[in-house]
Amino acid sequence: MSWRSPVRDAQTVTASMVFGPVIQIRDVAGNVTVVADRPPYQIGDFAPGAVPLPVGTARRQPSRLLLARHQVVPFTGRDVELDALSTWMGGAEPVSVRLVHAAGGQGKTRLARHVAAQAHAAGWLTWRVLHTPEQQSAGSRWEAPGGGGALVVVDYADRWPASDLNRLVTDLNAVSLRTGLVLRVLLLARSAGFWWAALRDRLDSEHAVTAEAHLLPPLDEHTDRTVLFDQARERFSAALDVPDTAGITVPELTGNGFRQILAVHMAALVAVDAHHHDQAPPAQPHALSAYLLNRERAHWHHLHARAEDRRATSPEVMGRAVYLATLTGPVTRDDATAILTRARVTEPGVATIIDDHRFCYPPDDPGTVLHGLRPDRLGEDLIALSTPGHPHTGADDWQPDDWAATAAHTLLTGEPATWAPGAVTVLVETAHRWPHVATDVLYPLIRRHPRLALAAGGATITRLAEIPHADITALEAVEALLPAGRHVDLDTAAAAISAALVHHRLGVVTDPAERARLLLSHARRLTTAGRHDEALAPAADAVTVGRRLAMANPAYRPVLAATLERLGNILSALGRRDEAVSRSRGAVVIYRRLIEEDPASYLPELASSLNSLGYDLSGLGRRDEALAPAEEAVAVYRRLVEVDPAAYLPELARSLNNLGNHLYGLDRRDEALAPAEEAAAIRRRLVEEDPAAYLPDLAESLNGLANHLTGLGRRDEFLAPAEEAVAVYRRLVEVNPAAHLPALAGSLNNLGNHLSDLGRRDEALARAEESVAVCRRLVEANPVAHLPDLAVSLHNFGHRLAESGRCDEVLAPVEESIHIYRWLAGANPVAYQAALALSLTAYAELCVDVKANLPQALEAVIEAIGVYRPLFARERGRFLRRMVEAYRTLARVLEGLGRADEAELVRRQIHEA
């Protein structure tokens, strides 16, 4: 968008929405929404109509007829998907996101265009969003509609940085709130991997925007592919102006190579074009691609050989330029110059090659060049067929180019370049269908330069690990660069690499001790990635191996102890705390015996297992028992830090944080603050050195520190660490929701409580509601582990509703919380009886406040007192305050029921006690 000088001529924006850089706006009138900073995207019209393609152009480059924007073949089928999308479009939410994902060639873009056409016909705006580097974003301005909605289509969503996608939806959500515009954001991608889970959870937690994914399935055996072929043949005949094609023989379409709609359309297009040229059409999927690529080459040859407006770039060089463009994607002209120069594609001149390529393949974005060959599947086939090593080298096939055997290596092994991550991603996707690209290009490249995989990011590493029969040495080269411990950006990828390697390694290892180590390492990677369910089996197998070894030879007791502690940690994360305690205690017992023999060697392991044991005992409500191992762990780590602070400071911080929590749980709040503050201070220093490893630890400490400060009534101090903890967890959830969503839910819940203490009720309610939503999602995946968290969140949510005056909504969440606590207390009374009694008391209080359900309130508070009595008898100091609160609530309920004399008697008893 061009801007006039504000000095000479003011710009007027009326009843508009502006995305992007705004230099100056004057004379503003009407409904104006402005997003002022430069966004990493550009919004453009997504015209529902077909983009015409002249017959001459189609005949010269028939592959263009496959592009969805030309809509040569009318959209048919997909009734289930269309019904689902129609329901989504008509939903009540002001903003909603839907992901449609499938392999290349499955018809995602054609489906999106069809939905856009329907939306446009219904009076909606239809927009397309392109991801652009910030320096290239020119901004966008749109007339604000009087009503209706807007459909926003985002292609290649899995190639966007997650933060940029979140930024887009954040901006759109702001527009919706400001204008009342209904917005539907349709994301198209090849996969719904961790990037999608991160985005979905962040949209839900930050904006309460619903986001769902839908897999677009391939053609199954019930689909009549012959009908699809005939429909496409008829349309391509008209587009190419080729008559008399009704008699074309339908090829064999039953194989797996024709499970994509694009493959069937390619077969029809090739059949029509071959008929026009009096040729026999090929039948195999690779040969269809080769045919269309040869038609592209014929076009390049024509441009190079013609007398008028001759293009100087030879067909051979143009083929290499198209290869590079497909590999790197659209780039700036400067980057294009560097790409061609580095790949030694320079004759008859780099600028000439760029211009000639641009003439053949006009860019969607005029600010970039070297747009790759589309559709993506055809572009990947170009890369594969150009690369020597495949078996398809017949006379009619696309002939390999020996230059392509080393082109990727030449391009990617020099100085680090902005295009390298995208190129590696394209190679990985190509390798999924073309084994020789994997074995001859990708794996050698990764073996020699594994940092390229790291630069491409966790999603690409995960896809690399998922290639069928992936090369072990290449994966090991990447694994060697992965951090040994936690890394928020790479934990998911590390787990994928480990999963791909562990089966091979277990298949060749003969030493039982090495087998236990491999299982233990794999379980640790899975645990760090938040995949606790999957980690359970290898951890249990490691314990079995360790136990067998230790029984045969006491020298293997350290192996057994290590496996027991890891299994205990996983069981604890899964909510199986009783089992976790037995494993943790077993590890402590073994390490104590080992220390008697060799104190120096096993002190760190003892401290770690003591920490785990204390944590597990506290989770069972056995806080008095938990304190001793927690204090001992701190004492041991202090001794170890004196000898090697770099190695043991992180563990000292962890044990201090746990000790603070144990003391707080025992109502020793003055004592709890000091270890919590010390832990937070250590972790902040560690984050300065290595944020990827220690950010989760810092967030944990900040969360705990806010609780300690709240408990001490230090109102001017507790909010900052609580808000910082939530902010950090949001960043972590973007990268790995499986690992960090539970902590985010707890942090949101705590922040809601802190905001409530400050009287900021609307903000408190929003955080509490968000916490409940996150906990519900977690419970769907693992109820045993996360039901306690949901119960806490529901309990607090009820209180936040009461504070906000939403009296008719107050009781339902607290009743649900009681229901959950009854179930938990029945399974584990020691851990959950106190929480049940607290929730029962809160329910009775709220009933009095809203003047509803008073008979049920009386039953609840009497039950609470009955639960508290044995707890009070065992731990008078800890439960005295809660017993008094329960009796005061009983008095209020009796008074509300008109039983004032009984209420006064209860109050007198409280006073006398």
Side-chain angles (χ1 to χ4, degrees), residues 710-734:
T710 300
L712 293 171
R714 292 164 61 170
R715 298 166 57 87
D716 57 337
E717 299 177 60
F718 59 66
L719 188 60
E723 290 181 324
E724 186 180 357
V726 168
V728 173
Y729 278 129
R730 289 198 195 283
R731 291 165 56 191
L732 295 171
V733 164
E734 284 182 29

Side-chain angles (χ1 to χ4, degrees), residues 2 5 116 254 350 357 455 467 587 606 610 695 720 724 808 831 839 853 879:
S2 61
S5 169
T254 57
V350 169
H357 180 277
I467 295 174
L606 174 63
L610 285 166
L695 261 178
E724 186 180 357
D808 56 335
S839 201
N853 293 12
F879 289 103

Side-chain angles (χ1 to χ4, degrees), residues 94-311:
V95 180
S96 183
V97 177
R98 175 66 61 98
L99 169 68
V100 173
H101 62 101
Q106 209 73 299
K108 301 182 292 294
T109 306
R110 297 179 75 248
L111 175 67
R113 282 191 167 273
H114 185 74
V115 173
Q118 292 180 321
H120 185 78
W124 283 46
L125 297 171
T126 51
W127 296 339
R128 180 185 65 167
V129 183
L130 297 177
H131 185 252
T132 56
E134 289 191 4
Q135 66 272 19
Q136 295 177 20
S137 177
S140 312
R141 182 170 70 86
W142 297 92
E143 297 302 316
L151 173 67
V152 185
V153 179
V154 184
D155 208 349
Y156 302 105
D158 46 350
R159 299 185 187 180
W160 283 50
S163 58
D164 288 353
L165 276 175
N166 183 68
R167 164 69 186 278
L168 170 66
V169 180
T170 299
D171 291 347
L172 292 171
N173 193 47
V175 168
S176 177
L177 290 171
R178 178 68 178 83
T179 65
L181 182 67
V182 173
L183 284 161
R184 296 292 179 262
V185 184
L186 181 60
L187 308 179
L188 309 178
R190 286 198 171 190
S191 66
F194 82 97
W195 72 272
W196 166 246
L199 177 68
R200 177 198 63 203
D201 294 322
R202 183 168 179 182
L203 295 179
D204 182 35
S205 61
E206 289 189 13
H207 310 298
V209 169
T210 60
E212 297 181 6
H214 183 88
L215 172 65
L216 202 60
L219 302 178
D220 58 25
E221 63 276 9
H222 303 298
T223 303
D224 192 335
R225 300 178 193 180
T226 299
V227 172
L228 294 178
F229 178 91
D230 283 336
Q231 290 172 341
R233 172 196 52 73
E234 182 179 347
R235 292 292 177 154
F236 290 136
S237 297
L240 291 168
D241 193 19
V242 177
D244 303 325
T245 61
I248 288 177
T249 302
V250 179
E252 177 58 52
L253 300 171
T254 57
N256 285 334
F258 293 98
R259 296 190 72 201
Q260 287 76 36
I261 292 174
L262 177 62
V264 176
H265 287 182
M266 286 173 66
L269 174 60
V270 168
V272 172
D273 192 76
H275 176 76
H276 176 61
H277 291 91
D278 294 323
Q279 297 178 13
Q284 296 301 313
H286 81 274
L288 298 173
S289 292
Y291 179 95
L292 292 172
L293 293 173
N294 278 313
R295 297 289 287 115
E296 295 291 317
R297 184 190 291 275
H299 177 55
W300 306 335
H301 186 274
H302 168 74
L303 293 176
H304 181 62
R306 68 186 181 181
E308 184 180 350
D309 192 23
R310 175 180 176 272
R311 295 288 159 174

Side-chain angles (χ1 to χ4, degrees), residues 85 167 242 489 519 621 694 700 837 853 861:
L85 288 170
R167 164 69 186 278
V242 177
D489 296 320
L519 289 165
Y694 297 114
E700 179 188 45
N853 293 12
V861 71

Side-chain angles (χ1 to χ4, degrees), residues 266 299 396 471 490 574 714 798 838 895:
M266 286 173 66
H299 177 55
D396 296 328
D471 181 78
L490 296 172
L574 292 172
R714 292 164 61 170
L838 183 64
E895 197 166 54

